[in-house]
Amino acid sequence: MIRYVILSAFTLFFLVSCGNKKKSDKDIYIADATGAINNVSVVMENDLWDGSVGEAVRSVLAKPIYGLPQDEPTFTISQIPPAVFSGFVTKNRTVLKIETGKEADLKVLDDAYAKPQKVIVISGKTKQEIIDLIIENEVKIVDVFRNVELAARLAQMEKSPHSYTQIKEKLGLTIQFPSIYSVAKESDNFFWFRKSITIGHMHLMMYDLPHDGIKRNDSTVLQIIKLRDSIGEKYFRGRLDGNLDANGQTISSFMVTESAYAPYLKETIVDNKPALETKGIWELTNDFMGGPFIDYAIEDKTNNRWVIIEGFAFAPSVEKRNYMLELEAIIKSVKIE
């Protein structure tokens, strides 16, 4: 009997002690984030969505992406009324919540309902306050969501990494891309990788050049175009190249930057180094093939050089936004020694 009382008392003490402990972060389970690439859940009332606030949201999140042959929205938007925003629908990687009747504010929340996740909450007492915050913070909103998508795409690709050691040996850098990319060309310090897709193919190329190869001035974008066109002529010959035309003349076909579409150039940071980002359209001379490209010239001052990494895609009759996101994610994974 005494033994039973002691045992019962000990059990009760143990349970009470455990009950008094606060749950640690490790004890709290956070579900994995889900959702299609480049899809943002917008939580707001239907009447707001159908009005001026919804228009402001769409003008930011659905703005056409520069550098694609056809208009494609930056993000695909799924509007959800707050009353049904619960359970599985809260697990999307990117969520924009619009709250009315509160002080004007914009907050970025990490892993609020799932992980990894970014939730941007925009509030205001009036519709105009909310609209002003959306428009004023356009760049921030897009950057927050886009960085989440880039990280998610890279995480997917890291499940099957390449094992191509020559890149590090010859260029002194590491870069993450899946093993499905195959070597199309390797020459000295130049690498070209190719991936077949359902309709078409994707390409990744990388090389370096002396630091005086690109100068920052009013003609920087022209220098980059001239550089990539010279690379295109040397390495990326068209399917008709070398054939004879109707007049018996030899066809010369190679990749160039499309002159009718002005390339976009901006300063950015890659691997904590200054870089030049160029977006535009490529085409083949004397042929009808073309598509978007994204080019990064990374200034490697330590090694007195520029590292050039470019991705481009050929995917006729289908959207190319997600293909270009994959190439951008790969490029931004670079680590230069």
Side-chain angles (χ1 to χ4, degrees), residues 192-208:
W192 167 22
F193 297 90
R194 173 183 169 130
K195 170 187 171 182
S196 295
I197 53 180
T198 304
I199 301 177
H201 31 83
M202 297 165 61
H203 302 263
L204 181 70
M205 67 177 182
M206 58 196 79
Y207 58 97
D208 63 1

Side-chain angles (χ1 to χ4, degrees), residues 1 52 94 101 110 122 158 181 186 211 215 254 291 311 313 320:
M1 182 67 180
S52 56
T94 50
D110 293 324
I122 299 178
E158 286 176 341
Y181 282 82
E186 177 184 348
H211 192 261
K215 296 180 175 62
F254 53 89
K320 303 164 184 62

